[in-house]
Amino acid sequence: MRDKQLHTPEGVRDIHCNEALKKHEIQRRIMAVFHHYGFLDVQTPTFEYIDVFSHDSGTIDIKNMYKFFDSDGNILVMRPDITPSVARMMATGYHHENTPKRFCYLGNAFRNIESYQLKLREFTQAGVELIGIDSEDADAEIIAIVIQSLLAVGLKDFQIDIGQAGFFKGLLEEAGLDSKYEEELRMLIDQKNYIAVEELLDSLELDQAHKKVLLDLPKFFGDVKVIEQAKSTTMNKKALAALDRLERIYNILCDYKVEQYISFDLGMVSQINYYTGIVFRGYTFGTGVSIVDGGRYDTLLQEFGHSAPAVGFAIIVDEVMNSIERQHIEIDVPSTDTLLLYNLKSRTMAISIADRMRREGMRIEIGMLDRDLEENIAYGKKNHIGGIMNFLSLDEVELVNLETEERNTVDVKSLF
């Protein structure tokens, strides 16, 4: 019992002072990019009815959700993903409007994943959802926002892999594959489990041409030339239309001048069922998993009784932090400007002056009043505080520069 009282469960962790400051700064930069593109903040509940995240809504497996009952016997879940919550909110709160909606959010999600996967079970998502527009320009804009967000936090070496759910669905249609095998095949291809893919296709007795295309799907990976290669493998109109759209999206991304961050992976057939068009993931050094996931989900809102096209993404802030730390990228965070010391006689004046300085934007921390100056100097240096104001009397204040260790006693009136 005592051991559990002092430790956190697997998959969750404490975030201490300096790291919390860095996380806050990373989140601030990401959200600033969202706002510059005209997206507005929304907040959804941390827990919802399980129906919002049911299998029909195309979210993660129910077994990976944290479930509990409310006092009325309803099954609730801690949200495993924020996108379905935003879709529900859109369908219920904005169903009477026919103009596009630009939503952005920042919040924690929860997934009860296996401990051996070594992933966080509580993690922070920062994302956007562009609802009401079905166009290549909307798809390209969303990917450009991802890239600008990652650049804003200091990442330089990263890659956005783009796939196309429509291409995969077209291939399945052309091969005549029964829809009941689609999810299993998608999962195996996404995991790049080639042996299992071949075994499944053999058991379905597909002709060699269609079998070869599906087996070769993970090989369609690389620059824009991959799109032309993929076009030569199919005559299916749905698959070809998906590839044509992908090509047009790439051309728009060139206009954004971000093509150096783009690659294509037509074997990326996400296990998130609600993606209907482009699907993409972002990768960088220092983490073994994607730092951003997104795509087009034109049918998700239908699950909530409101039909509208949509595209969006979620940045996994915790994975971004891991990458930044392992790539030794500096994140400047604010520190305390001044440590304030005073005695009984100078207290009223010192507090008044400190309040005035705070209103002007400075960070003023009251020091250890029961300790001597030398101990406060040591404390200030340890915590990267700029200096000390030690009010000796109503007339005199001792100023200590903690970087140079220079000390001066000046008239209080000279402070302003």
Side-chain angles (χ1 to χ4, degrees):
M1 172 64 82
R2 181 68 175 170
D3 185 60
K4 290 185 176 180
Q5 187 180 28
L6 296 175
H7 294 84
T8 60
E10 282 192 61
V12 297
R13 69 187 189 97
D14 298 316
I15 300 179
H16 295 274
C17 304
N18 197 53
E19 186 182 8
L21 279 172
K22 289 182 178 180
K23 183 175 183 179
H24 178 77
E25 175 61 16
I26 289 168
Q27 293 172 165
R28 186 198 65 77
R29 294 184 191 182
I30 292 172
M31 296 303 291
V33 173
F34 296 171
H35 297 154
H36 288 157
Y37 278 82
F39 287 82
L40 301 177
D41 292 13
V42 295
Q43 294 183 8
T44 62
T46 304
F47 58 87
E48 302 243 21
Y49 291 117
I50 194 171
D51 309 68
V52 174
F53 305 99
S54 69
H55 185 70
D56 290 340
S57 298
T59 57
I60 69 167
D61 197 311
I62 288 177
K63 71 179 182 181
N64 291 332
M65 302 180 194
Y66 284 100
K67 301 174 284 291
F68 60 98
F69 292 95
D70 67 9
S71 57
D72 296 320
N74 298 303
I75 302 177
L76 307 178
V77 297
M78 305 292 287
R79 61 186 181 202
D81 182 20
I82 298 179
T83 295
S85 294
V86 174
R88 173 199 52 73
M89 183 193 71
M90 173 68 189
T92 56
Y94 298 88
H95 62 277
H96 57 287
E97 299 183 21
N98 59 5
T99 55
K101 293 292 175 250
R102 291 172 173 262
F103 297 137
C104 63
Y105 58 82
L106 178 69
N108 285 8
F110 308 83
R111 296 182 187 175
N112 189 17
I113 55 180
E114 300 290 344
S115 59
Y116 69 84
Q117 295 183 28
L118 301 177
K119 294 181 180 179
L120 287 174
R121 293 175 175 175
E122 179 184 11
F123 52 93
T124 303
Q125 290 184 336
V128 306
E129 314 293 348
L130 176 51
I131 302 173
I133 302 178
D134 178 11
S135 71
E136 296 91 349
D137 286 278
D139 292 346
E141 180 188 5
I142 287 295
I143 295 171
I145 293 171
V146 170
I147 293 168
Q148 294 303 329
S149 298
L150 298 181
L151 290 171
V153 300
L155 291 173
K156 294 182 176 64
D157 296 321
F158 61 86
Q159 179 175 291
I160 308 299
D161 293 345
I162 308 176
Q164 237 292 355
F167 174 65
F168 179 65
K169 291 179 183 293
L171 294 182
L172 298 184
E173 182 182 275
E174 187 176 41
L177 188 70
D178 194 307
S179 60
K180 68 181 180 181
Y181 298 109
E182 179 183 337
E183 185 173 353
E184 182 181 0
L185 181 61
R186 182 174 59 242
M187 180 183 68
L188 294 174
I189 292 176
D190 200 54
Q191 294 173 345
K192 304 197 184 303
N193 190 341
Y194 306 127
I195 295 175
V197 169
E198 187 167 12
E199 289 177 349
L200 175 61
L201 295 177
D202 284 340
S203 71
L204 299 176
E205 299 180 351
L206 297 180
D207 66 65
Q208 286 301 311
H210 291 130
K211 176 183 172 182
K212 185 178 187 307
V213 172
L214 291 171
L215 282 173
D216 287 346
L217 203 54
K219 297 179 182 178
F220 294 122
F221 177 85
D223 61 22
V224 68
K225 296 176 183 176
V226 166
I227 298 176
E228 285 300 321
Q229 295 170 9
K231 286 182 179 180
S232 66
T233 66
T234 180
M235 298 293 292
N236 180 269
K237 291 183 179 179
K238 181 186 291 184
L240 290 172
L243 293 174
D244 286 340
R245 178 162 178 153
L246 204 55
E247 207 163 35
R248 292 193 295 271
I249 292 169
Y250 177 75
N251 290 334
I252 299 171
L253 288 169
C254 290
D255 291 336
Y256 278 101
K257 302 188 185 306
V258 295
E259 65 271 21
Q260 68 267 37
Y261 301 104
I262 301 298
S263 65
F264 295 92
D265 183 0
L266 298 181
M268 182 173 58
V269 285
S270 178
Q271 296 175 43
I272 302 294
N273 298 336
Y274 51 67
Y275 290 135
T276 56
I278 61 162
V279 56
F280 55 86
R281 295 175 186 158
Y283 295 94
T284 188
F285 303 111
T287 178
V289 296
S290 59
I291 59 174
V292 57
D293 299 277
R296 175 162 288 280
Y297 54 97
D298 289 341
T299 60
L300 178 60
L301 271 77
Q302 294 176 12
E303 300 289 339
F304 303 96
H306 180 75
S307 181
V311 61
F313 66 84
I315 294 172
I316 313 303
V317 175
D318 305 270
E319 295 299 342
V320 170
M321 289 179 63
N322 288 338
S323 302
I324 286 173
E325 181 179 356
R326 291 168 185 168
Q327 294 180 34
H328 306 292
I329 297 170
E330 290 296 324
I331 297 292
D332 292 330
V333 295
S335 59
T336 300
D337 296 302
T338 303
L339 202 62
L340 178 70
L341 298 176
Y342 55 77
N343 52 45
L344 186 60
K345 291 183 179 180
S346 63
R347 181 178 62 196
T348 301
M349 179 184 60
I351 290 174
S352 176
I353 291 175
D355 283 345
R356 177 177 173 179
M357 296 173 76
R358 292 187 185 106
R359 287 193 296 272
E360 293 175 354
M362 293 186 67
R363 293 171 178 255
I364 310 296
E365 175 185 338
I366 295 178
M368 300 181 291
L369 301 177
D370 59 340
R371 309 285 182 90
D372 62 26
L373 179 60
E374 296 306 316
E375 288 181 278
N376 276 280
I377 289 174
Y379 171 83
K381 288 181 177 179
K382 180 181 178 181
N383 291 279
H384 308 290
I385 296 173
I388 293 177
M389 284 196 311
N390 181 20
F391 284 84
L392 303 174
S393 68
L394 295 175
D395 300 314
E396 291 185 321
V397 57
E398 182 180 13
L399 303 179
V400 182
N401 185 319
L402 292 178
E403 185 175 346
T404 64
E405 298 189 4
E406 181 182 358
R407 303 187 189 191
N408 291 297
T409 300
V410 300
D411 192 297
V412 171
K413 294 178 182 179
S414 68
L415 294 177
F416 301 101

